[in-house]
């Protein structure tokens, strides 16, 4: 069971030295219990207390890292069944499958498709992993493919084979990239455990059912391998879905350690229909895949999966927000319109996109409303005349233009009178409610 704040407090130095960034050890203990800070933020915890606290504060599902450097992927580390309880921590990695039986041209095409990426709300969405599968039974061929992938991609690598020698050849080629070794089974567990330990790589277990999964993870842990990913072996949609829910629930609510690891799932092995495969993958994005291996990437299925993943793994308590400030769009001058909006990322990107599309150079003033959209911020009293006026004055945006007109969003129309009082000499114009109407509005605008 996790320790309470008071239990954690008893193990802290109680000097209230503030070096962890909060005023007291008690406040730090409370934050640690709530999972808001890392234990490492306090430099004075004794080794003995550290051991107890680390054990108690470790997430019930272990966090496992695949790869190195900026492109390393963290999976697992989850603490809740449902996103509304707190948040999901680490988004599942999406993997493209490349087999050593494929023609060179197909391998090249897949490596190219692995580079698919999309911009959305200021973020770059892209997949992370390449699963390299041995089908040839030829260690030299497998190693050559691993080398090719390594040279042509910065993605994390999953090495897939039942054969220990072939896995060893793959690890030899890319041990510095810390690949995920797939898979340890009842037949090769000792050998794979040795390979993983020698090269400090994470390992996936592949079982036939949950009992065998727990047995394999226990044996791996006893052999000193702790970075484990689990494949319960199910390849029907229903069974695989049930397994994901049972694994998450057993780890979180029953504190059953042998299932306290992230999972790897294979929509690629559940259907031959690309559309169905994407639908199955979307199920695992929601419930509770750690890694999702797809037979191929195509924009029409990859993009929706990336957006679904972004939406589910966004912290519901912290809306995506844009930095407050003046954004100059299209090279505005002293006769350009000035618009104001809130800093909810989606609002910002829609409004700025429409302004850009209008080809009317403009100033867009973005106000920090804690990531709330215009209507929500207005209803919450964060985007009202009393708050907007001092922000407009402080920003100095009206010093950049010769006119005195400020365009507010249509949804904040009720604030226009208040703003004219708070900003004497300004003319407050009410813009459209719908972002799509901004271009027509700006084209008709006169200073
Ligand atoms: Fe207490 Fe450690 Fe924070 Fe200092 S750094 S206040 S000792 S918890």
């Amino acid at each position: 069971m996790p320790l309470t704040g008071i239990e954690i407090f008893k193990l802290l130095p109680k000097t209230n030295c503030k070096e962890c960034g909060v005023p007291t050890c008690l406040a730090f203990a409370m934050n640690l219990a709530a999972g808001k800070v890392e234990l490492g933020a306090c430099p004075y915890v004794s080794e003995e207390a550290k051991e107890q606290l680390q054990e108690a504060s470790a997430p019930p599902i272990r966090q496992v890292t695949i790869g190195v450097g900026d492109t390393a992927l963290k999976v697992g580390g989850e603490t809740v069944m449902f996103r509304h309880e707190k948040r999901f921590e680490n988004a599942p990695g999406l993997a493209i499958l490349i087999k050593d039986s494929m023609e060179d041209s197909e391998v090249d095409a897949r490596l190219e498709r692995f580079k698919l990426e999309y911009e959305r709300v200021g973020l770059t969405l892209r997949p992370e992993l390449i699963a390299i599968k041995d089908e040839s039974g030829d260690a030299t061929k497998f190693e050559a493919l691993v080398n090719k992938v390594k040279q042509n991609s910065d993605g994390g690598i999953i090495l897939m084979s039942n054969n220990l020698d072939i896995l060893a050849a793959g690890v030899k080629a890319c041990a510095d990239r810390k690949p995920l070794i797939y898979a340890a089974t009842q037949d090769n567990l000792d050998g794979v455990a040795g390979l993983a330990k020698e090269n400090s790589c994470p390992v996936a277990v592949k079982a036939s059912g949950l009992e065998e999964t727990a047995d394999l993870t226990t044996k791996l842990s006893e052999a000193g391998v702790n970075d484990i990913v689990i494949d319960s072996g199910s390849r029907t949609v229903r069974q695989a879905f049930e397994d994901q829910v049972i694994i998450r629930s057993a780890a979180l609510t029953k504190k059953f350690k042998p299932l306290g690891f992230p999972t790897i799932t294979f929509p690629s092995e559940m259907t031959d229909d690309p559309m169905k495969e994407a639908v199955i993958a979307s199920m695992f994005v929601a419930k509770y895949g750690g890694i999702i291996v797809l037979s191929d990437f195509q924009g029409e299925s990859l993009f929706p999966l990336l957006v679904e993943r972004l939406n589910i793994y966004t912290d519901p308590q912290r809306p995506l927000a844009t930095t407050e400030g003046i954004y100059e769009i299209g090279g505005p001058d002293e006769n350009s319109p000035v618009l104001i909006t809130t800093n909810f990322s989606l609002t910002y990107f829609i409004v700025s996109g429409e302004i850009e599309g209008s080809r009317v150079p403009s100033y867009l003033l973005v106000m920090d409303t804690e990531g709330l959209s215009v209507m929500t911020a207005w209803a919450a009293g964060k985007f009202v005349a009393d708050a907007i006026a001092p922000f407009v004055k402080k920003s100095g945006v009206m010093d950049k233009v010769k006119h005195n007109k400020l365009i507010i969003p249509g949804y904040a129309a009720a604030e226009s009178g208040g703003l004219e009082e708070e900003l004497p000499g300004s003319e407050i114009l009410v813009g459209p409610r719908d972002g799509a109407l901004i271009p027509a509005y700006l084209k008709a605008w006169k200073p």
Side-chain angles (χ1 to χ4, degrees), residues 12-25 28 41-45:
L12 293 176
K14 302 184 198 69
T15 57
N16 299 334
C17 73
K18 303 185 180 58
E19 279 189 44
C20 55
V22 291
T24 62
C25 294
F28 181 77
C42 171
Y44 303 112
V45 186

Side-chain angles (χ1 to χ4, degrees), residues 184 186 189 205-222 228-233 243 246-247 250-251 256-261:
Q186 288 290 15
L189 190 122
V205 297
K206 183 179 179 191
S208 324
L210 293 175
E211 261 180 51
E212 192 182 318
T213 304
D215 181 43
L216 289 174
T217 59
T218 304
K219 284 179 180 158
L220 269 184
S221 298
E222 284 167 3
I228 301 170
V229 172
I230 54 188
D231 171 10
S232 62
D243 285 359
I246 291 168
I247 290 167
F256 184 61
K257 285 199 165 193
L259 293 182
F261 299 98

Side-chain angles (χ1 to χ4, degrees), residues 177-244:
R177 296 269 284 264
K178 300 288 171 229
L180 174 67
I181 304 173
Y182 178 97
T185 62
Q186 288 290 15
D187 298 333
N188 67 9
L189 190 122
D190 290 341
V192 171
L195 188 62
K197 268 170 64 181
E198 216 173 288
N199 296 281
S200 308
C201 293
V203 178
V205 297
K206 183 179 179 191
S208 324
L210 293 175
E211 261 180 51
E212 192 182 318
T213 304
D215 181 43
L216 289 174
T217 59
T218 304
K219 284 179 180 158
L220 269 184
S221 298
E222 284 167 3
V225 177
N226 295 309
D227 287 334
I228 301 170
V229 172
I230 54 188
D231 171 10
S232 62
S234 301
R235 294 295 185 267
T236 62
V237 177
R238 180 182 170 158
Q239 192 57 53
F241 173 74
E242 278 183 15
D243 285 359
Q244 295 301 310

